[in-house]
């Protein structure tokens, strides 16, 4: 049982880049499409410190400004990152500028931004 708790802790602490790599490995080597892989990251990444207002901003919003040339790739990535269904992910992309993720850590926000930019989207952090 302790091994499962350790494994769960490792999953929750994965970065967005690591989640994407894990999703690729599961898909390519085992034929498994992990649709909700980003949900585990989102569950662990958005904790607030609970203290007074921090001097440095600790929570960021990832805003999709434009889908760019490969709209389909961006829709698929938004679907994967948010754990939403295809229609909801498409609605986010179609209604840009729109928040993809809100209240996430700086590292997670930068990872999401990088992934979306690699897919061709225009993204900003707030």
């Amino acid at each position: 049982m302790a091994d499962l708790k350790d494994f769960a802790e490792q999953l929750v602490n994965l970065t967005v880049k690591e989640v994407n790599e894990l999703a690729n490995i599961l898909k390519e080597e085992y034929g498994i499409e992990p649709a909700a892989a980003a949900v585990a990251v989102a569950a662990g990444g958005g904790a607030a410190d609970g203290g007074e207002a921090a001097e440095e901003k600790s929570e960021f919003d990832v805003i999709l400004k434009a889908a760019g040339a490969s709209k389909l790739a961006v829709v698929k990535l938004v679907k994967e990152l948010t754990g939403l269904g295809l229609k909801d992910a498409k609605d986010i992309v179609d209604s840009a500028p729109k928040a993809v993720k809100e209240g996430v850590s700086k590292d997670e926000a930068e990872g999401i931004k990088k992934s979306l930019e690699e897919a061709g989207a225009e993204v900003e952090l707030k």
Side-chain angles (χ1 to χ4, degrees):
M1 190 68 168
D3 290 336
L4 288 177
K5 286 185 179 186
D6 291 341
F7 181 66
E9 182 71 26
Q10 290 174 343
L11 284 176
V12 169
N13 290 323
L14 290 175
T15 65
V16 173
K17 182 178 179 186
E18 291 169 333
V19 169
N20 286 333
E21 289 174 12
L22 176 61
N24 287 336
I25 291 169
L26 290 173
K27 182 177 179 181
E28 292 171 6
E29 293 185 20
Y30 300 99
I32 299 170
E33 293 227 21
V39 174
V41 173
D49 63 6
E52 298 282 327
E55 290 179 21
E56 185 178 331
K57 187 172 179 176
S58 62
E59 292 187 349
F60 294 83
D61 296 341
V62 182
I63 309 296
L64 176 68
K65 291 174 69 175
S70 5
K71 182 178 173 183
L72 182 59
V74 173
V75 169
K76 286 181 179 180
L77 186 56
V78 168
K79 178 183 179 286
E80 181 181 319
L81 292 170
T82 61
L84 295 172
L86 186 60
K87 182 183 181 319
D88 293 330
K90 182 181 179 300
D91 289 344
I92 287 175
V93 173
D94 287 343
S95 62
K98 181 87 172 173
V100 175
K101 287 274 203 166
E102 296 178 329
V104 296
S105 69
K106 183 177 182 178
D107 290 340
E108 184 178 358
E110 288 175 351
I112 293 170
K113 179 181 179 189
K114 184 176 185 228
S115 296
L116 287 167
E117 286 176 342
E118 286 173 356
E122 187 179 333
V123 183
E124 74 174 339
L125 300 181
K126 288 190 174 185

